[in-house]
CSV table of all heavy atoms in Angstrom, one decimal:
chain,number,residue,atom,x,y,z
A,257,VAL,N,15.8,-13.9,-12.6
A,257,VAL,CA,16.7,-13.8,-13.6
A,257,VAL,C,17.8,-12.8,-13.2
A,257,VAL,O,17.5,-11.7,-12.7
A,257,VAL,CB,16.0,-13.3,-14.9
A,257,VAL,CG1,17.1,-13.1,-16.0
A,257,VAL,CG2,14.9,-14.2,-15.4
A,258,GLY,N,19.1,-13.2,-13.4
A,258,GLY,CA,20.2,-12.3,-13.0
A,258,GLY,C,20.3,-12.3,-11.5
A,258,GLY,O,19.7,-12.9,-10.7
A,259,MET,N,21.4,-11.5,-11.1
A,259,MET,CA,21.7,-11.3,-9.7
A,259,MET,C,21.8,-12.6,-8.9
A,259,MET,O,21.2,-12.9,-7.9
A,259,MET,CB,20.6,-10.4,-9.0
A,259,MET,CG,20.4,-9.1,-9.7
A,259,MET,SD,19.3,-8.0,-8.8
A,259,MET,CE,19.1,-6.6,-9.9
A,260,ASP,N,22.7,-13.4,-9.5
A,260,ASP,CA,22.9,-14.7,-8.9
A,260,ASP,C,23.5,-14.6,-7.5
A,260,ASP,O,23.3,-15.5,-6.6
A,260,ASP,CB,23.9,-15.6,-9.7
A,260,ASP,CG,23.2,-16.0,-11.0
A,260,ASP,OD1,22.0,-16.0,-11.1
A,260,ASP,OD2,24.0,-16.2,-12.0
A,261,ASP,N,24.3,-13.6,-7.2
A,261,ASP,CA,24.9,-13.4,-5.9
A,261,ASP,C,23.7,-13.2,-4.8
A,261,ASP,O,23.8,-13.7,-3.7
A,261,ASP,CB,25.8,-12.2,-5.9
A,261,ASP,CG,25.2,-10.9,-6.4
A,261,ASP,OD1,24.2,-11.0,-7.2
A,261,ASP,OD2,25.7,-9.8,-6.1
A,262,ILE,N,22.7,-12.5,-5.2
A,262,ILE,CA,21.6,-12.2,-4.3
A,262,ILE,C,20.8,-13.5,-4.0
A,262,ILE,O,20.4,-13.9,-2.9
A,262,ILE,CB,20.6,-11.1,-4.8
A,262,ILE,CG1,21.4,-9.8,-4.8
A,262,ILE,CG2,19.4,-11.0,-3.9
A,262,ILE,CD1,20.7,-8.7,-5.5
A,263,LYS,N,20.6,-14.3,-5.2
A,263,LYS,CA,19.9,-15.6,-5.0
A,263,LYS,C,20.8,-16.5,-4.1
A,263,LYS,O,20.1,-17.3,-3.3
A,263,LYS,CB,19.7,-16.2,-6.3
A,263,LYS,CG,18.6,-15.6,-7.1
A,263,LYS,CD,18.2,-16.4,-8.3
A,263,LYS,CE,19.3,-16.5,-9.3
A,263,LYS,NZ,18.8,-17.3,-10.5
A,264,ALA,N,22.1,-16.4,-4.1
A,264,ALA,CA,22.9,-17.3,-3.2
A,264,ALA,C,22.7,-16.9,-1.8
A,264,ALA,O,22.6,-17.7,-0.9
A,264,ALA,CB,24.4,-17.1,-3.6
A,265,GLU,N,22.5,-15.6,-1.5
A,265,GLU,CA,22.3,-15.2,-0.1
A,265,GLU,C,21.0,-15.7,0.4
A,265,GLU,O,20.8,-16.2,1.5
A,265,GLU,CB,22.3,-13.6,-0.1
A,265,GLU,CG,23.6,-13.0,-0.4
A,265,GLU,CD,24.5,-13.0,0.9
A,265,GLU,OE1,24.0,-13.4,2.0
A,265,GLU,OE2,25.7,-12.6,0.7
A,266,VAL,N,19.9,-15.6,-0.5
A,266,VAL,CA,18.6,-16.1,-0.1
A,266,VAL,C,18.7,-17.7,0.1
A,266,VAL,O,18.0,-18.2,1.0
A,266,VAL,CB,17.6,-15.7,-1.2
A,266,VAL,CG1,16.2,-16.3,-0.8
A,266,VAL,CG2,17.5,-14.2,-1.2
A,267,GLY,N,19.4,-18.3,-0.7
A,267,GLY,CA,19.6,-19.8,-0.5
A,267,GLY,C,20.2,-20.1,0.8
A,267,GLY,O,19.8,-21.2,1.4
A,268,GLN,N,21.1,-19.3,1.3
A,268,GLN,CA,21.6,-19.5,2.7
A,268,GLN,C,20.5,-19.4,3.7
A,268,GLN,O,20.5,-20.2,4.7
A,268,GLN,CB,22.7,-18.5,2.9
A,268,GLN,CG,23.4,-18.7,4.3
A,268,GLN,CD,24.5,-17.7,4.5
A,268,GLN,OE1,24.9,-17.1,3.6
A,268,GLN,NE2,25.0,-17.6,5.7
A,269,ILE,N,19.6,-18.5,3.5
A,269,ILE,CA,18.4,-18.3,4.4
A,269,ILE,C,17.6,-19.5,4.5
A,269,ILE,O,17.2,-20.1,5.5
A,269,ILE,CB,17.6,-17.1,4.1
A,269,ILE,CG1,18.4,-15.8,4.2
A,269,ILE,CG2,16.4,-17.0,5.0
A,269,ILE,CD1,17.7,-14.5,3.7
A,270,VAL,N,17.3,-20.1,3.2
A,270,VAL,CA,16.5,-21.3,3.2
A,270,VAL,C,17.2,-22.4,3.8
A,270,VAL,O,16.6,-23.3,4.5
A,270,VAL,CB,16.3,-21.6,1.6
A,270,VAL,CG1,15.5,-22.9,1.5
A,270,VAL,CG2,15.5,-20.4,1.0
A,271,ASP,N,18.5,-22.6,3.6
A,271,ASP,CA,19.3,-23.7,4.2
A,271,ASP,C,19.2,-23.6,5.7
A,271,ASP,O,19.1,-24.6,6.4
A,271,ASP,CB,20.7,-23.7,3.7
A,271,ASP,CG,21.5,-24.8,4.2
A,271,ASP,OD1,21.2,-26.0,3.8
A,271,ASP,OD2,22.4,-24.5,5.1
A,272,GLN,N,19.4,-22.4,6.2
A,272,GLN,CA,19.5,-22.2,7.7
A,272,GLN,C,18.1,-22.5,8.3
A,272,GLN,O,18.0,-23.1,9.4
A,272,GLN,CB,19.8,-20.8,8.0
A,272,GLN,CG,19.9,-20.6,9.6
A,272,GLN,CD,20.5,-19.2,9.9
A,272,GLN,OE1,21.1,-18.5,9.0
A,272,GLN,NE2,20.3,-18.8,11.1
A,273,TYR,N,17.0,-22.2,7.6
A,273,TYR,CA,15.7,-22.5,8.1
A,273,TYR,C,15.4,-24.0,8.1
A,273,TYR,O,14.9,-24.6,9.1
A,273,TYR,CB,14.6,-21.8,7.4
A,273,TYR,CG,13.3,-22.1,7.9
A,273,TYR,CD1,12.7,-21.5,9.0
A,273,TYR,CD2,12.5,-23.1,7.1
A,273,TYR,CE1,11.5,-21.8,9.5
A,273,TYR,CE2,11.2,-23.3,7.6
A,273,TYR,CZ,10.7,-22.7,8.8
A,273,TYR,OH,9.4,-23.0,9.2
Side-chain angles (χ1 to χ4, degrees):
V257 179
M259 302 188 184
D260 293 335
D261 52 339
I262 296 175
K263 287 195 291 184
E265 293 281 353
V266 176
Q268 183 179 346
I269 299 172
V270 174
D271 181 72
Q272 183 174 343
Y273 178 81

